[in-house]
């Protein structure tokens, strides 16, 4: 490795959602299977899906997933800056796992982002001094020329750390050759000198039909393509951001297996604004016979056996949305009829009697849906914790990320929340990943819903996640030039890469 430091690589993308997160995870899993000590890194992440590390730091879920791929414990070093959108124009800034304030996009890019460059680079250098290799993930596109001056996650990091860059493009969306060429041609000569080549993602069909285009791309840019990764179904790996796509009607991918009992179980997830950690329902979708859908209409709750109101970065905004859509009335009807409802974190808060919020929305006192005997007051300090407890006779692990403090005034205890009839509420994210508890909970749901659904006795969410991460490692090992990638990681970008005009203006 260079200069006594661990090797490194920056995985950039032609667009958001090109596949940077999963490619980074796949490279981490491939390298760790080779016996290397590997860490993921993303200098700045924008996501509403986050995770709490064992030291109580909040980081993006994608980096936690990549750490699992690398078989290391996630830490704040792996994602020093996390932006959690609170609307179209502002985000909470989380630095080294702790919130440090709210900033508008203009305020952030206008000065604060530049101040964060030094701590970001210090984290990367610390990781490189400890690990054999650090696989960095970029954000958006490195060719966002309007943001290059203050960049702390793409070419700014690559230049400062002298990291080689591989650009990932999603061919399933079309236009990947133009994206590769245009991304390179919009970079300065200094930035271009680090762009070693490309990775095609989500290819369907005969690779031989693609090869002439790859040859022409090499002729135009002087850069090779390091692999063509096939489209892979059913990976279900944690998404980074729920803001870019409409989730109405989206079905979470499930294992392809019939139900154990006579019936399937239908789960409807209310697609509330600023939805956070909707990955909580992945463990439900992993169960044979459980169908999970995201919905935004009251009629879509009619045939649901369980309705989940998920976490949100805007509890008061979510409450207003539930009422405007008629979902609040539908949830009240369900509760009166003894039909199952589960509220998680912000969703739990909406189910309570009253919310006092001078922190998140600054709306003051707002009436909740009144389905649970809970009153919530938002505090300035954010609760970040990894609790362990018991519910329904089973051990449960979870994690907490919330400003709201719940005053539970009745009902049966349920984790840190409560249960009244078939309505449950808790601040704990990730509780459904505890296999015994998930099975016990689904049995209760099936009984209340009158369904002859039986949870599979041997579904292990942890084992399924490991299988998915191994599949990502397999994609890299089988469809990328791993020898060439390893040389890049160990030695850096090759010298003499040609300049592609016109370059950055």
């Amino acid at each position: 490795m260079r200069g006594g430091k661990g090797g490194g690589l920056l995985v950039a993308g032609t667009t958001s959602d090109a596949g940077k997160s999963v490619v980074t995870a796949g490279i981490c899993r491939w390298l760790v299977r080779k016996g290397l000590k590997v860490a993921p890194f993303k200098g700045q992440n924008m996501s509403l899906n986050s995770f709490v590390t064992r030291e109580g730091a909040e980081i993006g879920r994608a980096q936690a997933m990549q750490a699992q791929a690398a078989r290391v414990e996630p830490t704040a070093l792996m994602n020093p800056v996390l932006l959690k959108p609170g609307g179209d124009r502002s985000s909470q800034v989380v630095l080294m796992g702790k919130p440090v304030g709210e900033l508008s996009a203009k305020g952030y890019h206008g000065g604060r982002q530049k101040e964060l460059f030094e701590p970001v680079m210090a984290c990367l250098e610390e990781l490189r001094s400890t690990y054999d290799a650090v696989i960095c993930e970029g954000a958006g596109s490195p060719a966002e020329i309007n943001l290059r001056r203050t960049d702390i996650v793409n070419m700014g990091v690559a230049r400062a750390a002298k990291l080689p860059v591989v650009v990932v493009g999603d061919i399933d969306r079309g236009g990947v050759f133009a994206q590769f060429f245009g991304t390179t041609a919009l970079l300065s000569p200094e930035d271009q000198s680090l762009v070693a080549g490309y990775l095609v993602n989500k290819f369907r069909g005969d690779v031989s039909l693609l090869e002439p285009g790859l040859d022409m791309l090499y002729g135009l840019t002087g850069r090779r393509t390091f692999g063509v990764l096939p489209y892979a179904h059913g990976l279900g790996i944690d998404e980074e951001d729920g803001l870019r796509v409409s989730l109405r009607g989206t079905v979470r991918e499930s294992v392809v297996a019939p139900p154990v009992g006579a019936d399937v179980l239908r789960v409807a997830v209310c697609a509330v604004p600023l939805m956070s950690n909707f990955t909580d329902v992945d463990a439900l979708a992993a169960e044979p016979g459980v169908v999970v859908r995201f919905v935004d209409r009251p009629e879509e709750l009619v045939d649901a056996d369980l309705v989940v109101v998920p976490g949100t970065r805007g509890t008061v905004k979510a409450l207003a949305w539930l009422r405007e859509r008629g979902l609040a009335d539908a949830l009240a009807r369900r509760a009166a009829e003894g039909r199952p409802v589960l509220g998680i974190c912000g969703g739990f808060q909406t189910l309570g009697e009253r919310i006092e919020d001078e922190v998140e929305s600054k709306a003051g006192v707002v009436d909740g849906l009144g389905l649970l005997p809970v009153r919530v007051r938002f505090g300035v300090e954010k609760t970040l914790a990894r609790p362990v407890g018991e519910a329904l006779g089973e051990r449960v692990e979870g994690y907490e990320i919330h400003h709201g403090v719940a005053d539970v005034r009745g009902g049966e205890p349920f984790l840190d929340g409560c249960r009244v009839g078939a309505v449950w509420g808790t601040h704990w994210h990730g509780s459904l990943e505890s296999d015994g508890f998930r099975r016990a909970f689904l049995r209760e749901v099936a009984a209340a819903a009158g369904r002859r659904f039986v949870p599979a006795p041997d579904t292990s969410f942890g084992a399924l996640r490991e299988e998915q991460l191994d599949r990502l490692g397999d994609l890299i090992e089988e469809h990328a030039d791993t020898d060439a990638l390893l040389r890049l990681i160990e030695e850096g970008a090759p010298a003499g890469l040609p300049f592609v005009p016109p370059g950055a203006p």
Side-chain angles (χ1 to χ4, degrees), residues 286-305:
E287 283 286 345
V290 176
V291 179
V292 178
R293 298 183 74 243
F294 289 89
V295 303
D296 64 358
R297 297 172 182 166
E299 57 268 27
E300 293 175 301
L301 304 191
V302 174
D303 68 344
D305 303 307

Side-chain angles (χ1 to χ4, degrees), residues 197-222:
Y198 315 108
L199 262 174
V200 176
N201 192 30
K202 296 185 183 178
F203 180 71
R204 308 175 193 246
D206 186 345
V207 176
S208 67
L209 299 177
L210 191 65
E211 287 171 351
L214 301 179
D215 291 340
M216 285 186 273
L217 182 66
Y218 179 79
L220 289 165
T221 67

Side-chain angles (χ1 to χ4, degrees), residues 3-264:
K5 293 181 182 177
L9 177 71
L10 177 72
V11 178
T14 57
T15 62
S16 298
D17 302 321
K20 298 183 293 291
S21 294
V22 294
V23 167
T24 300
I27 292 174
C28 285
R29 178 51 59 101
W30 157 62
L31 287 172
V32 79
R33 291 195 307 207
K34 284 182 64 67
L36 296 179
K37 188 180 179 186
V38 190
F41 178 80
K42 186 164 186 172
Q44 171 200 290
N45 197 347
M46 177 175 279
S47 180
L48 288 170
N49 286 335
S50 58
F51 181 77
V52 179
T53 67
R54 296 216 177 272
E55 74 264 33
E58 184 179 8
I59 66 172
R61 269 198 75 93
Q63 279 61 66
M65 175 268 292
Q66 290 160 358
Q68 186 177 350
R71 296 180 179 145
V72 295
E73 190 67 35
T75 73
L77 292 171
M78 297 171 184
N79 179 206
V81 179
L82 173 64
L83 305 179
K84 301 195 74 177
D88 291 336
R89 298 190 176 183
S90 68
S91 293
Q92 182 180 67
V93 181
V94 178
L95 176 62
M96 293 304 295
K98 305 296 180 185
V100 293
E102 296 271 343
L103 275 180
S104 67
K106 186 174 182 180
Y108 183 68
H109 291 288
R112 186 62 194 273
Q113 187 180 33
K114 198 171 182 179
E115 296 173 13
L116 297 172
F117 186 69
E118 188 174 328
V120 164
M121 293 308 301
C123 289
L124 176 57
E125 290 305 302
E126 185 170 342
L127 289 174
R128 293 185 73 189
S129 70
T130 308
Y131 290 87
D132 297 326
V134 179
I135 308 304
C136 307
E137 180 188 345
S141 162
E144 290 165 350
I145 53 179
N146 56 314
L147 303 177
R148 176 61 183 90
R149 183 177 57 85
T150 55
D151 171 41
I152 64 170
V153 65
N154 289 308
M155 300 310 299
V157 167
R159 281 268 293 277
K162 296 181 173 57
L163 293 175
V165 179
V166 171
V167 181
V168 178
D170 180 354
I171 197 170
D172 198 50
R173 297 183 176 188
V176 75
F177 291 117
Q179 292 169 15
F180 283 145
F181 180 85
T183 297
T184 309
L186 277 177
L187 301 178
S188 69
E190 294 82 4
D191 286 354
Q192 285 194 28
S193 69
L194 295 170
V195 176
Y198 315 108
L199 262 174
V200 176
N201 192 30
K202 296 185 183 178
F203 180 71
R204 308 175 193 246
D206 186 345
V207 176
S208 67
L209 299 177
L210 191 65
E211 287 171 351
L214 301 179
D215 291 340
M216 285 186 273
L217 182 66
Y218 179 79
L220 289 165
T221 67
R223 289 158 174 85
R224 56 169 302 180
T225 298
F226 288 94
V228 177
L229 309 182
Y231 195 104
H233 292 277
L235 285 174
I237 296 296
D238 299 353
E239 282 111 324
E240 193 166 84
D241 197 341
L243 292 181
R244 298 192 187 98
V245 293
S246 169
L247 291 170
R248 203 203 75 71
T250 300
V251 179
R252 293 302 270 180
E253 291 180 339
S254 307
V255 291
V256 182
V260 175
D263 291 340
V264 298

